[in-house]
Amino acid sequence: MNKLFKRVKILIFHFSSLFFIPFWVFQKFLPRKKNLWVFGAWHGQKFSDNSKEFFLNIVENCKEINAVWISRDKEIVNELRSKGFESYTTNSFGGILKSLRAKLIIISSSKSDVNQFFINGAKLIQIWHGAPMKKIGVSVRTSKARKILLYTQKILFPFLYEYSYNYVVSTSQCFDEILSKAFLVPQNNIIKSGYPRNDIFFKSLKSNFILNWDKQFNNPKKIIYLPTFRSTSEETDFFKDYGFDENKFIKILEKYNAIFITKGHFCDNQILSSDISQRIINLTDTEVVEINPILKDIDILMTDYSGAYFDFLLTLRPIIFTAFDLNDYIEKNNGINFDYQKSVAGPIAKNWDDVMFNLEKFLSADDSYFSKRQEKNKFFNEYNDGNSSKKLQIELKKLLDF
């Protein structure tokens, strides 16, 4: 019954959208200002990620650009305005007007980051929110019904169709073809600049989390666990199901003066809660909007198929790959873009015993993977040297003949 109701709701929405088509076509003829750039992120719900870092860079370094942040959250808009930034809610008069006049629309998740109904005629720049280990965009396995819906939107409802980007940003040549296929843009329209959010890896400023942990635990070794989400509905406890021994793990942390930080993916939020040690710390989405300001000062990363791997490579520090369900993940989820065994730069653990074995090696300075991390960093982060925002700014200005 719920599925039927949902489908009827979608049909009604699409039918009512037919009346918007004339105005969508009309927008194409409106003059747009090449020095007006509109930004948004995470469906308008967050001030974060690549869009945020690039927005801040433009505001600080390009006074000739009128940078505007669009959000669905009034609190974000008010906070940005209090800091002197120009910001509007998505459906406000100001937000719609700026969307209609902007020459560039810059997003890092989807067209719903901004107001997708008023951007026809602008150049749409998809920075994205992480180099893709997993399949993304139209490369994801999808149902026949979903394919029909996308085709219908493309032909009849272009303002609802997602894959009409003009340009996509890449961190390395190895991702260019992947991004081209995933977002349906020509490879010539892949901007080679690296991610603005990764510039933080080259800065010395530390987050308050890091400063507080250093004070509380006397400069501990910091280990973070960042599992990615699963697209299937199967429930898996990555701790219980793969032999996690909390007491044994805590003894290792105490032995090496280390702390273990868990941050679940926002889609399924698998974390480890502990009542017996302060050395196990859970971070929530409420506390942490962005992980890279913390990740840059982490000593050891543990992850499975997350793009955080590529970001953390910039530090050249140890990584343990917790790919406990590797075969199942490839078979049942959206799939991955690379040969996993050949692409990782660290030990692949099958369970928590493997994790603890390799963790002790890294904590005791027994590291045989450093040269491998150097190799993979050059391969996956070809365009990243701490100046990605500047490079992207230059490339976009070229597009507009500044």
Side-chain angles (χ1 to χ4, degrees):
M1 190 69 179
N2 286 336
K3 284 186 177 180
L4 178 61
F5 178 75
K6 188 176 180 181
R7 289 175 181 173
V8 171
K9 194 174 178 181
I10 291 173
L11 285 172
I12 293 172
F13 175 71
H14 279 76
F15 178 77
S16 62
S17 296
L18 286 170
F19 298 99
F20 186 74
I21 291 175
F23 186 68
W24 176 258
V25 175
F26 172 73
Q27 288 179 47
K28 190 77 173 177
F29 302 97
L30 292 176
R32 290 182 174 268
K33 301 170 67 174
K34 67 179 182 180
N35 69 329
L36 176 56
W37 299 5
V38 162
F39 297 74
W42 286 108
H43 313 291
Q45 302 297 334
K46 297 180 181 180
F47 180 58
S48 67
D49 226 290
N50 282 313
S51 297
K52 169 196 168 183
E53 295 305 322
F54 191 46
F55 171 80
L56 294 175
N57 180 272
I58 292 296
V59 170
E60 182 178 355
N61 300 305
C62 299
K63 304 303 180 184
E64 71 277 18
I65 302 298
N66 179 198
V68 177
W69 189 272
I70 299 292
S71 177
R72 299 177 192 278
D73 189 323
K74 289 183 179 180
E75 289 186 10
I76 291 176
V77 171
N78 291 335
E79 183 179 353
L80 290 177
R81 288 179 175 178
S82 71
K83 295 178 179 178
F85 301 129
E86 188 172 0
S87 181
Y88 302 92
T89 52
T90 308
N91 295 313
S92 67
F93 176 78
I96 292 173
L97 182 62
K98 293 294 181 179
S99 299
L100 286 170
R101 298 303 312 280
K103 188 66 177 178
L104 281 189
I105 305 293
I106 298 160
I107 61 176
S108 54
S109 184
S110 80
K111 289 164 66 174
S112 64
D113 292 1
V114 292
N115 194 325
Q116 66 195 76
F117 292 95
F118 300 100
I119 60 176
N120 192 23
K123 291 186 182 298
L124 187 58
I125 314 299
Q126 172 62 277
I127 311 185
W128 200 234
H129 50 268
M133 171 67 83
K134 306 178 290 290
K135 299 282 186 181
I136 58 172
V138 297
S139 299
V140 171
R141 300 165 190 162
T142 189
S143 65
K144 185 176 181 180
R146 175 65 177 164
K147 290 179 180 178
I148 293 172
L149 177 63
L150 286 175
Y151 181 77
T152 303
Q153 288 178 337
K154 182 179 180 180
I155 301 301
L156 298 177
F157 309 98
F159 37 88
L160 300 177
Y161 180 65
E162 183 63 37
Y163 301 99
S164 55
Y165 310 115
N166 297 103
Y167 297 89
V168 178
V169 174
S170 175
T171 63
S172 176
Q173 185 177 357
C174 68
F175 293 110
D176 291 357
E177 184 178 358
I178 293 169
L179 293 169
S180 174
K181 291 179 178 179
F183 294 122
L184 302 180
V185 299
Q187 283 200 49
N188 288 339
N189 287 22
I190 303 295
I191 299 175
K192 309 175 195 312
S193 66
Y195 288 153
R197 74 177 190 182
N198 285 349
D199 288 348
I200 198 168
F201 283 92
F202 301 86
K203 297 177 181 178
S204 58
L205 185 67
K206 292 186 177 182
S207 77
N208 288 332
F209 286 100
I210 297 294
L211 294 173
N212 290 336
W213 293 331
D214 282 346
K215 182 178 181 180
Q216 181 180 358
F217 297 99
N218 191 24
N219 299 313
K221 292 291 185 180
K222 303 168 194 70
I223 306 153
I224 196 167
Y225 177 43
L226 301 175
T228 195
F229 79 99
R230 271 65 176 165
S231 58
T232 64
S233 58
E234 296 179 12
E235 291 188 8
T236 302
D237 186 326
F238 298 130
F239 296 97
K240 181 181 178 181
D241 293 351
Y242 293 96
F244 183 77
D245 186 326
E246 185 174 16
N247 291 308
K248 186 177 178 180
F249 195 82
I250 290 171
K251 286 180 181 178
I252 294 174
L253 299 180
E254 292 172 344
K255 179 180 177 181
Y256 294 97
N257 186 30
I259 59 175
F260 182 61
I261 305 142
T262 64
K263 170 66 175 68
H265 192 281
F266 70 90
C267 285
D268 50 22
N269 209 31
Q270 287 229 21
I271 59 175
L272 173 67
S273 58
S274 174
D275 297 325
I276 64 175
S277 177
Q278 290 183 315
R279 292 183 179 273
I280 294 179
I281 300 165
N282 297 315
L283 297 178
T284 66
D285 290 323
T286 304
E287 295 174 293
V288 180
V289 178
E290 298 176 286
I291 197 64
N292 280 6
I294 295 173
L295 195 60
K296 66 182 281 293
D297 292 303
I298 292 295
D299 296 290
I300 300 173
L301 169 67
M302 291 166 45
T303 191
D304 40 29
Y305 322 106
S306 170
Y309 160 47
F310 303 125
D311 294 351
F312 191 73
L313 270 175
L314 292 163
T315 70
L316 296 178
R317 299 183 199 125
I319 307 168
I320 298 173
F321 292 88
T322 55
F324 305 144
D325 59 344
L326 178 58
N327 293 332
D328 279 349
Y329 185 85
I330 293 173
E331 180 183 344
K332 297 178 182 179
N333 287 266
N334 292 331
I336 57 178
N337 290 309
F338 301 96
D339 183 317
Y340 191 80
Q341 309 261 1
K342 295 178 181 179
S343 300
V344 299
I348 301 175
K350 296 180 181 179
N351 50 50
W352 283 97
D353 282 340
D354 286 352
V355 169
M356 287 185 276
F357 173 78
N358 288 291
L359 190 57
E360 284 218 73
K361 291 185 71 173
F362 284 139
L363 287 170
S364 60
D366 182 359
D367 183 0
S368 60
Y369 290 93
F370 183 74
S371 60
K372 190 72 171 179
R373 293 195 297 272
Q374 286 182 308
E375 173 195 332
K376 294 304 179 184
N377 186 43
K378 290 179 181 178
F379 183 70
F380 290 120
N381 292 310
E382 183 181 355
Y383 309 123
N384 211 315
D385 57 4
N387 293 303
S388 291
S389 287
K390 183 177 180 179
K391 290 178 183 177
L392 181 55
Q393 169 206 134
I394 292 170
E395 291 300 317
L396 293 183
K397 283 185 175 180
K398 284 181 183 177
L399 293 178
L400 301 179
D401 296 322
F402 259 90

